[in-house]
Amino acid sequence: MENSRTMFPFPYQPYNIQEQFMQALYGALEQGKVGIFESPTGTGKSLSLICGALSWLADHEERKRQEAAALLHDGEAALSASTDPSSTTSSSAEPDWITDFVQKKAERDLVSKLKEEELKRKKREERLEMIRNNVQLKYAMKRKNCEDDETFKLLQLSKEEKTEAPEHKEDEELIIAEYESDDELKGKSRFCVAEDDEDDELVEEHVTKIYYCSRTHSQLAQFVHEVQKSPFSKDISLVTLGSRQNLCINEEVRSLGSIQRINDCCMEMQKNKHEKQHHEEGVKRKRGPAKTVCPYNKTSALQQMRDVVLGTVHDIEQLLKLGRETHSCPYYATRLSIPPAQLVVLPYQMVLHEATRKAAGVQLKGQVVIIDEAHNLSDTLSCIHSAELNGAQLCRAHSQLTQYADHTFKHKSLIVMLLFLLGIEMLTINNFHFKAHIDNINLFKVLQKYFEKSMISRKLGGFVEKYAGSGVSLHTQTNTNKENRRIEGLNRYLQTLQISSPDQQGSVEADKVLSASPMMQVEGFLMALTNSNTDGRVVVHRQDNSVKFLLLNPAVHFTQVLKECRAVIIAGGTMQPVSDFKQELLFSAGVGEERITEFSCGHVIPPENILPLVLCSGPSGQELDFTFQNRDSPRMMDETGRILSNICNVVPGGVVCFFPSYDYSRRIIAHWEASGALSRLSNKKKIFQEPKKANQVEQVLSDFSRCIQRCALDGGGLTGALLFSVVGGKMSEGINFSDDLGRCVVMVGMPYPNIKSPELQEKMSYLDKHLPHVGGRSPGQALIENLCMKAVNQSIGRAIRHRGDYSSIVLCDRRYSRPATLSKLPTWIKARTSTHTSFGPAFAALRKFFLEKKQKQV
């Protein structure tokens, strides 16, 4: 079988660029490359990924079978061949029969191993075939005391009657009892199998698989729907992973709201289940109230759901429905499905964060990872591995640790670790250790001892709840020893943080946040402090009483993924600029140029369906220069209003206008309102604005869409709608402005990040120190330009979503005409972009573009 392909199963005749994409993807996977794949939205990227990657997986498995069969045949032939002892001589001191015996044993061992692997493979295939054919499976698997395994520690129905707890001994047990965490699954077999039963199920082994990850659950659901439409839908074993918050079907637990509280409650019920099982086995139960367990725990139900998941492709909504039907927990059933699954669909964090990856049972060794929507991968890695604590969390963590230390008369050194905020400053990790007086504490040991099994993180919340208002002081009593004097200083500082109570704030949401234990955030912050001193900084903000760990080197946490995986595919609609991306994330992680492959394709739309324009001046001749010094001038704001007015005169349907920041959006709209420009715009198109709250976005988009539809039928003088949005805001990513919703996208100015930000300045300084200078630019300067253009590319990519779509893009700022800036636009847009120093020719081109489209539709 050849190691390349020219034909791929596809639900319809693929575009040429899709065939090229799949061929390049197949080659990258076969050769074990790190691939950077760019395919604009609307070109069928998801289907190309699915059909290209799954075709490779099918061929790879077939090649493995053929190679194993050939080895087995050769091994059996070697064993059956007779050897003439008289014809063999040995130059060693060992007799010939010993040499022959050792050789034969090695051959027998190889043959036995190959036969065993072939038997396992056949059993897996037969089992999946039975599942897909709806055959009733009988589970003969025997479990040797596996009930303490977390996977099966879930659930038995009931809330038992609670009795009053004794007041003394149980208190100590509450503190020192240990939780079993997700990490404890490491090293344990998912199934314990009796070796003497021929019908017993095999201990699950990880088959070769593809991990597909994306940014949001809606993007993952969309990918799963594409798999369901593909030619592979009936033959692939796919599992979708999510958090407890997304997959829990226990309504009482779901109602807790925050993911931390849901996690804590789930783990608590697992512990309760464990204690109940020991009680049923005759172990004397400790005095205290009977405890709640979750109702979805039967092992057979989990296994049944796992098999249904492996037999049919499900998205998360379908998993929730299946879980309710089978009375089985989707969160744990999907985790059981990982080893035999061929395609695992999961959020970024479950792949990119090592602790989360291990807890979920995700193993990357020799596997394929596809990271989609990866244009902000560097920022995503930094965000995932950063940590922040605010004043409220600090005060509550200090209070809880104080009570914990007072009650048990030990472990007071933990209190000292809670953050001496000394003003607004940027500190290295080592300097922060000194400032916070924790330089003599081994954080690795602290995390291992106190947090590894989540004892403090999960127990302190219950401890404080139990003792709050019951005579336990919220602060340590004054003592005379040196350690307590140090604690008193921290105590006095934390009391100066004026944190209002939830009642004072009058917010139910605030009450929910504050009622959750802050110790998980403390654990995350302490874990962040174990990074190398050069890889991060600690930012202390006195003004808002917060402290944040900022990761400067995201490559350090991407290195393991790149090393372990057979191949890594980094894909997106817009991956430009690639050179700086490679330097910061791949070369810094030790990936050589020879392992990197790049693929970028054009759009499927005809070239005449897009009109990108760079405007250097407006209708009155005013130069468009939206630098910080010029953008607030009344002349610049008035000129921008005139540009929009002209655009709305000739563009039908929807116009989406992006401003560089919320602040500038408010100022320029207020100016137009005062000058009458806004009223004039509203006479041509109904005006909508990006909402302040994320949960209002859908309603605004719905109203925007309905208005455009009504105007197309009978606008009553209106030609459509105008939507004001913000780059990097709620509508600049993941929103679809196809067809009439986005006939023109206007970009006002260039959305450069705040250069005065301490975090950004530190990042620039780090890059300048550790990365090479290219083309006369420092890496820090390149970062600023790249952040700006990535944001621009995401925003203008909201329009043109399919082959028959058409749209114009108007970039309002003379700085877009610079060759270095133009080069950072997506190739398919850059090739069609024209720069205009005066407004007249640009407006004429815009009017002609839409006139021709209108004539074609008649």
Side-chain angles (χ1 to χ4, degrees):
M1 183 176 293
E2 295 182 3
N3 292 344
S4 62
R5 256 192 191 239
T6 56
M7 302 293 292
F8 295 85
F10 215 74
Y12 52 82
Q13 179 61 40
Y15 305 131
N16 288 337
I17 60 173
Q18 288 178 313
E19 291 180 334
Q20 295 164 12
F21 185 105
M22 290 186 286
Q23 290 167 5
L25 176 62
Y26 191 102
L29 298 181
E30 181 61 25
Q31 297 166 34
K33 298 281 190 177
V34 175
I36 302 173
F37 281 68
E38 182 181 55
S39 181
T41 303
T43 57
K45 169 168 62 73
S46 294
L47 266 177
S48 299
L49 283 170
I50 290 164
C51 296
L54 295 183
S55 293
W56 170 83
L57 184 62
D59 290 352
H60 176 73
E61 289 299 303
E62 181 59 32
R63 278 193 290 270
K64 282 173 60 178
R65 280 192 286 270
Q66 291 179 3
E67 289 168 2
L71 281 172
L72 182 59
H73 178 269
D74 293 345
E76 289 177 333
L79 281 176
S80 61
S82 59
T83 304
D84 182 5
S86 61
S87 65
T88 61
T89 59
S90 175
S91 59
S92 68
E94 294 177 341
D96 291 341
W97 68 269
I98 294 181
T99 303
D100 187 56
F101 175 81
V102 171
Q103 181 181 346
K104 291 292 184 184
K105 184 179 184 305
E107 292 170 351
R108 282 193 298 270
D109 290 345
L110 175 61
V111 169
S112 297
K113 181 181 178 182
L114 291 170
K115 286 182 176 179
E116 183 181 350
E117 289 176 352
E118 178 67 11
L119 179 62
K120 288 180 180 179
R121 183 188 62 78
K122 286 183 177 179
K123 282 193 175 184
R124 277 197 302 267
E125 291 177 353
E126 289 170 1
R127 179 164 151 261
L128 281 173
E129 190 63 29
M130 291 171 70
I131 294 168
R132 289 175 179 140
N133 291 330
N134 257 338
V135 175
Q136 181 63 41
L137 298 181
K138 294 182 180 179
Y139 297 98
M141 181 188 67
K142 295 179 182 177
R143 303 175 50 226
K144 304 174 180 175
N145 304 320
C146 267
E147 287 300 317
D148 59 333
D149 218 41
E150 177 198 275
T151 313
F152 300 112
K153 192 181 297 164
L154 287 175
L155 336 174
Q156 203 67 342
L157 181 60
S158 83
K159 260 192 174 181
E160 304 174 1
E161 288 188 9
K162 296 187 177 181
T163 59
E164 276 199 78
E167 296 182 0
H168 304 294
K169 184 68 175 175
E170 178 68 8
D171 299 345
E172 181 86 5
E173 291 165 351
L174 175 70
I175 298 299
I176 63 174
E178 294 181 347
Y179 272 73
E180 291 190 49
S181 70
D182 289 346
D183 287 336
E184 291 192 46
L185 286 174
K186 184 173 59 179
K188 291 186 181 180
S189 169
R190 297 280 183 181
F191 301 101
C192 292
V193 184
E195 295 177 358
D196 57 346
D197 192 331
E198 293 180 1
D199 294 326
D200 283 340
E201 239 185 311
L202 294 169
V203 174
E204 293 286 0
E205 295 180 355
H206 282 254
V207 301
T208 303
K209 64 178 87 278
I210 295 169
Y211 289 102
Y212 171 89
C213 63
S214 193
R215 192 169 56 90
T216 66
H217 284 287
S218 61
Q219 289 168 343
L220 295 176
Q222 183 179 352
F223 180 82
V224 172
H225 296 157
E226 293 293 317
V227 174
Q228 290 171 330
K229 293 187 295 185
S230 78
F232 297 89
S233 60
K234 304 297 182 185
D235 304 314
I236 193 71
S237 294
L238 179 150
V239 59
T240 301
L241 302 183
S243 64
R244 286 182 175 93
Q245 189 177 40
N246 291 109
L247 290 174
C248 178
I249 58 173
N250 185 325
E251 293 303 325
E252 187 174 342
V253 177
R254 285 173 66 89
S255 67
L256 294 174
S258 76
I259 189 168
Q260 182 187 332
R261 297 178 66 179
I262 290 173
N263 287 342
D264 288 351
C265 186
C266 179
M267 298 297 291
E268 175 72 21
M269 288 191 290
Q270 291 177 60
K271 177 177 178 291
N272 296 345
K273 168 65 178 176
H274 179 53
E275 291 178 351
K276 181 177 179 181
Q277 289 168 345
H278 278 261
H279 178 58
E280 290 171 351
E281 292 166 6
V283 178
K284 185 177 179 181
R285 191 169 71 84
K286 299 171 183 177
R287 296 174 62 193
K291 298 176 181 179
T292 304
V293 292
C294 190
Y296 302 98
N297 78 330
K298 292 182 180 177
T299 300
S300 58
L302 285 173
Q303 293 172 328
Q304 179 188 358
M305 182 173 178
R306 175 203 61 188
D307 286 341
V308 175
V309 168
L310 291 172
T312 310
V313 176
H314 296 79
D315 64 18
I316 282 187
E317 291 303 317
Q318 293 165 333
L319 288 172
L320 291 173
K321 181 181 178 183
L322 177 62
R324 294 185 181 104
E325 290 173 352
T326 59
H327 300 285
S328 178
C329 173
Y331 176 75
Y332 281 95
T334 52
R335 286 175 61 173
L336 288 177
S337 307
I338 295 174
Q342 298 165 294
L343 178 57
V344 180
V345 179
L346 68 175
Y348 278 162
Q349 179 135 344
M350 287 189 174
V351 168
L352 301 177
H353 190 268
E354 184 180 7
T356 307
R357 188 164 69 234
K358 289 181 177 179
V362 171
Q363 297 182 12
L364 299 182
K365 186 68 174 176
Q367 309 290 20
V368 169
V369 165
I370 297 176
I371 304 172
D372 203 358
E373 302 299 329
H375 53 275
N376 281 333
L377 181 58
S378 179
D379 294 338
T380 299
L381 281 161
S382 296
C383 182
I384 287 175
H385 294 91
S386 294
E388 185 169 9
L389 290 169
N390 59 41
Q393 292 165 336
L394 286 167
C395 283
R396 294 179 59 248
H398 172 251
S399 177
Q400 290 183 10
L401 280 172
T402 299
Q403 294 171 56
Y404 173 73
D406 278 352
H407 193 69
T408 59
F409 305 104
K410 55 184 177 180
H411 309 319
K412 289 190 177 181
S413 60
L414 272 175
I415 299 173
V416 182
M417 287 186 294
L418 281 181
L419 315 180
F420 290 80
L421 306 188
L422 302 172
I424 303 176
E425 51 186 325
M426 178 78 67
L427 304 170
T428 66
I429 297 174
N430 288 347
N431 284 342
F432 181 78
H433 286 171
F434 288 116
K435 291 274 188 179
H437 303 285
I438 59 173
D439 53 299
N440 60 339
I441 296 174
N442 187 325
L443 290 182
F444 289 101
K445 288 186 177 179
V446 169
L447 287 163
Q448 183 179 17
K449 184 172 183 181
Y450 297 111
F451 290 100
E452 186 182 57
K453 295 185 178 179
S454 301
M455 179 182 74
I456 287 182
S457 301
R458 305 191 191 281
K459 272 300 187 186
L460 277 180
F463 173 80
V464 173
E465 181 181 351
K466 180 169 183 176
Y467 285 99
S470 303
V472 175
S473 172
L474 289 178
H475 301 286
T476 50
Q477 299 299 316
T478 302
N479 291 295
T480 57
N481 64 64
K482 183 178 179 181
E483 183 178 29
N484 280 346
R485 284 200 298 272
R486 293 174 67 191
I487 295 169
E488 287 168 21
L490 175 59
N491 213 354
R492 285 193 300 271
Y493 171 75
L494 291 174
Q495 289 180 53
T496 68
L497 302 180
Q498 299 298 316
I499 306 299
S500 58
S501 69
D503 290 336
Q504 290 172 315
Q505 295 171 348
S507 168
V508 175
E509 288 302 314
D511 182 56
K512 283 185 178 180
V513 171
L514 288 179
S515 63
S517 171
M519 296 308 297
M520 292 295 287
Q521 282 84 0
V522 172
E523 178 184 358
F525 187 80
L526 294 179
M527 180 62 74
L529 293 180
T530 63
N531 277 276
S532 169
N533 183 56
T534 59
D535 290 336
R537 294 291 183 271
V538 178
V539 188
V540 179
H541 289 285
R542 174 68 189 219
Q543 186 174 2
D544 58 2
N545 297 322
S546 68
V547 60
K548 178 180 181 180
F549 172 80
L550 175 68
L551 181 69
L552 299 177
N553 180 18
V556 72
H557 292 288
F558 198 40
T559 301
Q560 188 174 10
V561 175
L562 294 167
K563 284 183 177 178
E564 287 192 4
C565 292
R566 172 195 177 97
V568 175
I569 304 300
I570 302 166
T574 303
M575 294 302 296
Q576 296 296 328
V578 171
S579 58
D580 301 291
F581 172 87
K582 290 195 298 184
Q583 188 67 58
E584 182 183 1
L585 213 52
L586 300 183
F587 297 155
S588 296
V591 178
E593 183 73 63
E594 71 283 353
R595 196 189 171 196
I596 300 173
T597 184
E598 296 178 41
F599 176 87
S600 179
C601 65
H603 211 291
V604 293
I605 63 166
E608 61 270 18
N609 278 19
I610 181 174
L611 180 65
L613 303 170
V614 174
L615 293 184
C616 297
S617 61
S620 72
Q622 170 68 44
E623 185 180 59
L624 300 180
D625 182 7
F626 290 91
T627 56
F628 185 78
Q629 295 82 4
N630 298 327
R631 66 184 183 184
D632 284 333
S633 71
R635 288 184 304 169
M636 192 68 69
M637 292 183 173
D638 289 339
E639 193 77 341
T640 307
R642 286 189 282 269
I643 291 171
L644 276 179
S645 182
N646 278 276
I647 288 173
C648 290
N649 279 335
V650 298
V651 175
V655 174
V656 183
C657 178
F658 285 100
F659 296 107
S661 68
Y662 284 104
D663 184 51
Y664 189 66
S665 172
R666 286 191 295 268
R667 291 202 303 274
I668 196 170
I669 291 173
H671 177 83
W672 289 342
E673 194 168 14
S675 67
L678 196 65
S679 176
R680 291 191 291 273
L681 285 171
S682 64
N683 290 333
K684 300 168 184 176
K685 292 186 184 290
K686 184 173 174 61
I687 294 176
F688 294 84
Q689 291 189 44
E690 180 176 310
K692 294 180 180 179
K693 296 181 179 179
N695 59 7
Q696 297 173 338
V697 168
E698 204 167 310
Q699 184 61 51
V700 171
L701 288 174
S702 178
D703 294 343
F704 178 70
S705 176
R706 281 198 298 268
C707 176
I708 291 170
Q709 291 171 359
R710 286 195 305 268
C711 291
L713 298 174
D714 181 17
L718 293 176
T719 61
L722 170 61
L723 174 63
F724 293 135
S725 190
V726 175
V727 176
K730 305 173 187 68
M731 295 182 172
S732 62
E733 286 193 41
I735 303 295
N736 186 345
F737 291 114
S738 63
D739 301 314
D740 281 344
L741 296 184
R743 289 305 181 201
C744 182
V745 176
V746 181
M747 182 67 59
V748 177
M750 298 188 71
Y752 283 106
N754 181 10
I755 192 67
K756 295 182 180 179
S757 161
E759 290 91 340
L760 185 57
Q761 288 181 349
E762 198 65 29
K763 178 73 172 181
M764 293 172 63
S765 175
Y766 176 87
L767 294 177
D768 287 343
K769 184 176 180 180
H770 292 90
L771 297 186
H773 292 229
V774 179
R777 291 182 313 158
S778 72
Q781 292 172 328
L783 172 68
I784 297 297
E785 185 85 15
N786 292 340
L787 288 174
C788 171
M789 291 308 296
K790 281 182 181 179
V792 169
N793 291 339
Q794 283 302 305
S795 297
I796 63 179
R798 298 308 92 209
I800 305 188
R801 313 296 285 187
H802 59 84
R803 183 181 180 88
D805 207 353
Y806 63 91
S807 180
S808 57
I809 297 169
V810 181
L811 304 175
C812 300
D813 198 307
R814 65 174 182 80
R815 292 174 293 175
Y816 282 111
S817 64
R818 298 177 302 197
T821 302
L822 284 172
S823 69
K824 296 181 186 298
L825 289 171
T827 305
W828 64 281
I829 293 178
K830 177 176 59 180
R832 299 288 297 173
T833 300
S834 58
T835 299
H836 298 271
T837 56
S838 59
F839 184 77
F843 181 70
L846 190 68
R847 183 171 49 191
K848 179 183 178 184
F849 178 80
F850 285 104
L851 185 60
E852 290 176 350
K853 299 304 174 190
K854 184 177 181 180
Q855 290 172 346
K856 285 184 179 180
Q857 292 172 353
V858 174

